[in-house]
Amino acid sequence: MTNKASLLRRTAAELIGTASLLVVVIGSGIQAASLSRDTGVALVANSLASAIGLGLIITLFGPLSGAHLNPVVTLTAWWARRAGGEGLDAREAFAYAAAQTAGAIGGAVLAETMFGRTPGTFSTQVRDGGHLLIGEIVATAGLVLVIQGLGRIGRPRLIPVAVAAYIAAAIWFTSSGSFANPAGTIGRAFSDSFTGIAPQSLPGFVAAQLAGGVLGLALATLLYGREHGRTGSGQERPAQADAPAPLADMPRPGAGFEAIV
């Protein structure tokens, strides 16, 4: 069960999992750009590889840490604890976020090194403009709503594939390309590649992602009622004490990721 793993093991899972995600995202972007001059073809390859890799990583690391891989998801778990449910305390949330950020940077450097590029080179791809920030708000709010919604309606088994599918779609339907992850965004600043983002664009993107996380939580509460179970992409336990009557009649899965797998 996830909640029996030590904090050290859980943070290690978050670090390795987030590093793996960045290797997949950046590595597939570099490979796609080198094989095709068509940006659309490269984006198809990058989005598919990213989605498949994300689903596998959530499935693999979920039993250990919940496979948050994202400080916004971790903050939803912290908020669940503050709201009287099960989640992460402040110390655990900080450890998760630090591990995710370190893992993202490490994964970016590894991807660059793997393709024979100079590791640690900052991206020169400036991404600015209010329309891109709106895209990040939408992308992150949707991600949180998918995770929270499936947890609260008693379908946590669908979270790995649903999150992967959502990210694949959001890469295409959002103006920003759906970074939707503060740690991943910071990591991608260390790669001057197809999927990179210039350091000067980080503050706006991260702020938009945090705003999107708040919006996603608000939408989940509006639609499904307050939630008192664990929060994360791999360890949901829905509790429908305040949910509408049709949801309250649904069976509750067992606590922990074993309910998913």
Side-chain angles (χ1 to χ4, degrees), residues 119-217:
T121 301
F122 286 121
S123 174
T124 57
Q125 189 166 176
V126 177
R127 300 175 188 262
D128 55 17
H131 64 293
L132 297 183
L133 302 184
I134 292 173
E136 277 303 284
I137 292 173
V138 171
T140 312
L143 174 63
V144 171
L145 183 58
V146 167
I147 294 170
Q148 291 284 322
L150 288 174
R152 296 184 193 199
I153 65 176
R155 295 181 178 177
R157 291 180 179 87
L158 297 178
I159 288 174
V161 66
V163 169
Y166 173 79
I167 291 298
I171 287 174
W172 282 91
F173 74 72
T174 62
S175 57
S176 63
S178 185
F179 284 44
N181 182 337
T185 303
I186 292 171
R188 287 162 73 163
F190 287 81
S191 173
D192 192 15
S193 65
F194 180 72
T195 57
I197 178 172
Q200 59 264 40
S201 300
L202 291 179
F205 264 59
V206 171
Q209 290 156 1
L210 293 175
V214 173
L215 177 59
L217 274 176

Side-chain angles (χ1 to χ4, degrees), residues 7 11 14 90-100:
L7 180 58
T11 53
E14 288 297 304
R91 182 176 70 95
E92 292 172 318
F94 178 80
Y96 268 45
Q100 291 156 2

